[in-house]
Amino acid sequence: MSTCPQGSRLAACKIDPQLLRQAFTEVRGKQVLLQKRESIAINDQVADAIYRASMMAMDDVFEGRHHSAFKYVTAPTGTGKSTSSVAFAVAARGCSPKFTCAFVVETIRQCDEIYRELTRLLPPESVEDVVVWSGGHDRKADPEKVRDEHGITPAAQFHAVDLKSAPIIVCTHKKWLGEMERDVDNGVRYCNGLSRSLLFIDEHPDIVELIPKTPSDISKLKDTISRLDPEHEWLPLLTGIYCRMDSVFDSPGSDYVAIDLVKLEEAQKLTDDHIRKFFDVHGQGIQSLESAMETLKFIQACAEGYVFFSRKTPRTFVAYSPRFKHSAGYVLLDATADVTGMVALMPGMEEIPVPKVDYSNLSIRHINPPSRFQSIREVTGKLARAKEYCAWMKRVVLDSTIAGEKALLVVHKKLVEDYGIFPLSAEEDNTQDWEGRSINIITWGMGIGSNKYRECGHVFLFGEFFKPRSATLGTTLGTTQCRAADGNLKEEAHGRELKGDYRIIREGDLLRWTAQLAARGRVRNIDANGRCGQMTLHTSMDYHRLLSNLSRLFPGAETPVAADYSEAGDNKKPQERLIELLVSEDTPAVLSSVEVEALTGLRSGLLKSKLRTEKVSVFVQSYCWSVVPAEAIGKTGRANYLVRNCAA
């Protein structure tokens, strides 16, 4: 049974908007003085958007609109979204002692930063209203160990139970999502049993948990129970589930298929409480219990139809568990919310418009790697090839920068963690000297929110952050809360390109990580006119994806410059050579279709139709090309001509 008072209201948190607006302005003024900086127009506009989003979210709580999702503010990186949200909470608490709030952030470090900012702005007598809790802020955590592992000395430490009664709390995504997943009240969504007035969610949360399992995982749980109680009633149930999984595990068929593994009545007999009690009675350790609970979570998801089988190596059954529960009071603060699939697919999302940063100071250089380095799976598959790839990346960096410049490199994790070819910068000071350049290196999947690299004038994004296709499928199905049997896996999840909702989630995820990690560098330094700092972004992401989404990722940026690192012997198709011709600065402004055929291998009669295809048309438009008949440019004959419009 749920212990959460669903549908409850906190009517007393209704605050006079004029009074709150005045208090909000005063607190923001105090922040400016403490931070010894000037308030610029775009920061004021973002603050206004956060104020409006927060008021709307609070009204949802007051009115009991518990089917809401997020009010989301796509606040550009570097425009003070976190400080403005803190200012709102401090102002609201000052206006009403019954106002309650939660700040939900990604990391222990961010928890500490938000807590310090809150306690710095609150009156001394109100500091005790704030509780921060994470693995590093638990009363039992060793501060020295926290410092060694996370690079911070915790500002304060509390017991987890303190969250339940604290008016203002700070915690991690993990704590918040776990509370929703287990449908309990641990003090994140509720204060003293009543819905919190407001919850700020900083950065994109992982609202779907993926639970991959194989038959051996079921067998392991069955063997443990059998050893402790050979006659236990769960054993026939687990045997049945194991046999169903095993019967299809080595079978041929489609790469991804919905599978019926667990009956609802079976899952009802295997509950969390039953498992916990069983392991407690038999004196099993915490690790055994956690493993059993993970397998149980898989079984429960299967009973809901939230599971599919992946025949891709390594074969596995992928269950997925939607963790987010719609409720009033949420404000999502994320610089890339507008490109993510979650916003596109989840009902109840409401955008609060904010001004866009002007990226006219950002130069973009697209890197086309040699053919031998274009498959990251092959590149990272063997140490020798990985070393060659890293040497090539280093050459690109040195060719693209000069001594005295600072650069950030984003590379694939395997090159750092498995092979140790590149040293990881992470949070500690581990800057490398490459022939006079100051180089920092991080991996895909880390670095969001960090200010450490804001003076880097060059950011190199090598590759893209592709997650396994099974992860994309599970995330999509979980976001839409769709059973695998209803998810059109056969039609939309097979083939080279994903389709439908699966494509939306994958594209959004790729774009989000590109935008977030590009923004670690100098572009995050926004001036008084809302213009980003001077920086060059070097990226080898899919060229078509970059051009198709350029105005979404970096509004105002100039068309990328192509940097072709092809090598002799690269075997390229005519379409690839045509694209290289369209993007190269060295291509003549006027070429006949016959000349194009000689350079690319594309038959002259096909030029016009090829330029209209989805894969090529974005290059034609972005680099100002068109095809015209000979007479249109004063030439004779029947040939068509490829013309760069700006020069024709």
Side-chain angles (χ1 to χ4, degrees):
M1 179 182 294
S2 170
T3 60
C4 297
Q6 298 288 350
S8 63
R9 299 184 183 183
L10 196 56
C13 74
K14 190 79 170 178
I15 304 172
D16 178 73
Q18 187 174 353
L19 179 65
L20 183 48
R21 171 70 81 170
Q22 181 179 348
F24 180 55
T25 301
E26 290 174 356
V27 176
R28 289 195 64 241
K30 184 178 179 181
Q31 286 178 317
V32 169
L33 291 175
L34 290 171
Q35 295 172 1
K36 297 179 181 179
R37 60 173 176 80
E38 293 184 7
S39 179
I40 61 177
I42 193 168
N43 286 11
D44 294 339
Q45 293 166 332
V46 167
D48 180 69
I50 290 173
Y51 174 86
R52 288 183 284 115
S54 301
M55 293 297 289
M56 293 167 65
M58 287 171 59
D59 282 345
D60 283 347
V61 176
F62 182 78
E63 297 294 340
R65 291 188 282 263
H66 290 284
H67 294 290
S68 302
F70 294 101
K71 308 289 187 270
Y72 69 94
V73 181
T74 310
T77 299
T79 55
K81 65 180 186 295
S82 296
T83 54
S84 291
S85 61
V86 168
F88 185 91
V90 170
R93 184 66 183 168
C95 291
S96 171
K98 294 184 179 180
F99 170 83
T100 59
C101 180
F103 288 85
V104 182
V105 299
E106 278 198 295
T107 67
I108 290 174
R109 175 181 287 273
Q110 289 170 308
C111 280
D112 207 70
E113 291 171 353
I114 294 292
Y115 176 81
R116 289 177 187 273
E117 182 71 1
L118 283 164
T119 54
R120 182 170 68 158
L121 293 171
L122 283 165
E125 65 273 13
S126 300
V127 169
E128 63 183 17
D129 290 343
V130 187
V131 165
V132 58
W133 192 89
S134 70
H137 295 91
D138 187 272
R139 185 79 74 179
K140 298 177 182 178
D142 181 352
E144 290 188 7
K145 187 175 181 181
V146 174
R147 184 173 60 250
D148 292 341
E149 293 182 359
H150 302 283
I152 63 163
T153 299
Q157 293 181 305
F158 296 89
H159 296 294
V161 71
D162 295 334
L163 294 172
K164 289 190 173 186
S165 58
I168 300 177
I169 68 161
V170 187
C171 68
T172 60
H173 286 182
K174 182 179 180 180
K175 184 71 174 176
W176 166 61
L177 292 168
E179 180 180 280
M180 284 189 294
E181 184 181 2
R182 293 186 292 275
D183 202 17
V184 295
D185 175 10
N186 287 330
V188 182
R189 296 171 296 162
Y190 305 94
C191 177
N192 292 321
L194 295 174
S195 297
R196 290 194 179 273
S197 313
L198 193 60
L199 292 94
F200 288 112
I201 312 300
D202 192 43
E203 303 296 354
H204 187 285
D206 290 328
I207 60 171
V208 179
E209 182 180 13
L210 303 179
I211 318 161
K213 295 293 178 185
T214 63
S216 63
D217 294 302
I218 304 298
S219 179
K220 180 180 178 181
L221 177 59
K222 181 170 70 73
D223 290 346
T224 299
I225 293 173
S226 177
R227 174 172 53 81
L228 299 171
D229 183 356
E231 303 298 324
H232 201 282
E233 61 176 342
W234 293 337
L235 294 176
L237 301 179
L238 293 172
T239 299
I241 296 170
Y242 170 82
C243 290
R244 288 169 217 150
M245 294 173 70
D246 189 59
S247 66
V248 299
F249 195 71
D250 293 319
S251 65
S254 300
D255 289 343
Y256 306 98
V257 60
I259 193 82
D260 186 10
L261 288 180
V262 182
K263 298 179 176 63
L264 188 59
E265 56 269 23
E266 291 176 326
Q268 289 172 343
K269 295 178 181 179
L270 294 164
T271 67
D272 291 17
D273 289 342
H274 289 153
I275 289 284
R276 289 181 188 278
K277 185 176 180 180
F278 177 85
F279 274 73
D280 184 54
V281 167
H282 291 278
Q284 298 301 292
I286 187 67
Q287 289 186 337
S288 296
L289 175 60
E290 288 178 350
S291 175
M293 294 296 290
E294 184 75 5
T295 303
L296 177 61
K297 192 185 298 182
F298 170 84
I299 291 172
Q300 291 168 338
C302 291
E304 298 289 331
Y306 291 165
V307 64
F308 61 91
F309 178 49
S310 169
R311 290 189 171 91
K312 286 290 188 179
T313 305
R315 293 189 172 210
T316 187
F317 294 86
V318 182
Y320 50 94
S321 175
R323 296 191 281 187
F324 178 72
K325 290 179 170 57
H326 284 65
S327 185
Y330 287 119
V331 175
L332 174 63
L333 306 175
D334 186 352
T336 54
D338 56 342
V339 301
T340 63
M342 181 183 78
V343 165
L345 299 181
M346 180 182 286
M349 303 293 288
E350 187 171 355
E351 182 180 14
I352 312 302
V354 293
K356 302 295 184 182
V357 167
D358 175 4
Y359 284 95
S360 57
N361 279 340
L362 175 66
S363 299
I364 303 176
R365 185 168 173 263
H366 183 268
I367 301 169
N368 182 32
S371 295
R372 61 196 176 106
F373 295 145
Q374 290 190 352
S375 169
I376 195 61
R377 180 176 297 179
E378 292 181 8
V379 165
T380 59
K382 293 183 179 180
L383 177 58
R385 177 58 63 87
K387 286 183 175 180
E388 291 178 9
Y389 179 55
C390 290
W392 171 79
M393 285 193 286
K394 186 171 183 177
R395 179 167 65 84
V396 171
V397 173
L398 294 176
D399 288 347
S400 309
T401 57
I402 60 176
E405 291 188 315
K406 297 180 179 180
L408 173 67
L409 276 64
V410 181
V411 302
H412 286 274
K413 187 178 293 186
K414 195 169 185 178
L415 302 174
V416 173
E417 293 191 354
D418 291 6
Y419 295 139
I421 303 172
F422 282 145
L424 188 65
S425 294
E427 295 297 340
E428 69 273 10
D429 185 13
N430 195 17
T431 301
Q432 307 298 303
D433 185 316
W434 286 6
E435 298 183 17
R437 289 87 161 156
S438 296
I439 305 297
N440 285 282
I441 300 171
I442 61 174
T443 66
W444 288 102
M446 66 177 291
I448 285 185
S450 174
N451 287 314
K452 179 180 178 182
Y453 316 107
R454 66 184 309 152
E455 296 308 319
C456 289
H458 296 266
V459 172
F460 292 82
L461 304 182
F462 287 104
E464 293 181 84
F465 192 31
F466 279 96
K467 296 178 180 177
R469 179 169 288 205
S470 60
T472 298
L473 304 186
T475 300
T476 305
L477 293 165
T479 298
T480 55
Q481 298 191 12
C482 176
R483 297 173 68 252
D486 302 324
N488 297 320
L489 287 169
K490 186 174 182 179
E491 294 80 11
E492 297 182 348
H494 293 276
R496 184 177 178 84
E497 299 289 341
L498 291 171
K499 302 179 183 67
D501 290 349
Y502 304 113
R503 182 172 182 174
I504 291 173
I505 288 289
R506 165 158 281 188
E507 287 287 303
D509 201 41
L510 292 169
L511 294 174
R512 170 180 178 253
W513 279 103
T514 291
Q516 285 281 4
L517 294 184
R520 294 312 98 203
R522 204 181 286 164
V523 292
R524 69 186 293 109
N525 303 326
I526 313 301
D527 68 16
N529 298 313
R531 189 179 294 115
C532 74
Q534 291 276 357
M535 194 187 88
T536 301
L537 171 64
H538 311 256
T539 175
S540 62
M541 72 183 291
D542 180 85
Y543 212 158
H544 186 277
R545 184 178 298 112
L546 172 61
L547 293 177
S548 300
N549 295 280
L550 188 62
S551 61
R552 298 173 69 198
L553 294 172
F554 310 111
E558 293 292 328
T559 304
V561 173
D564 188 9
Y565 284 86
S566 299
E567 296 175 338
D570 282 353
N571 185 20
K572 296 184 179 181
K573 297 178 180 178
Q575 178 173 287
E576 294 173 311
R577 295 192 181 280
L578 176 61
I579 290 172
E580 290 176 2
L581 195 71
L582 295 173
V583 303
S584 173
E585 292 182 311
D586 297 329
T587 301
V590 178
L591 282 172
S592 71
S593 56
V594 175
E595 290 173 312
V596 172
E597 179 176 353
L599 292 168
T600 66
L602 179 72
R603 283 190 296 158
S604 59
L606 299 177
L607 177 61
K608 197 169 184 177
S609 59
K610 177 61 71 173
L611 294 178
R612 292 174 177 167
T613 62
E614 179 188 355
K615 291 293 186 181
V616 181
S617 61
V618 68
F619 296 95
V620 175
Q621 181 178 357
S622 298
Y623 291 91
C624 305
W625 291 100
S626 63
V627 174
V628 299
E631 62 185 27
I633 56 173
K635 293 186 179 289
T636 60
R638 301 178 61 183
N640 286 322
Y641 280 80
L642 183 64
V643 178
R644 198 188 300 267
N645 296 339
C646 56

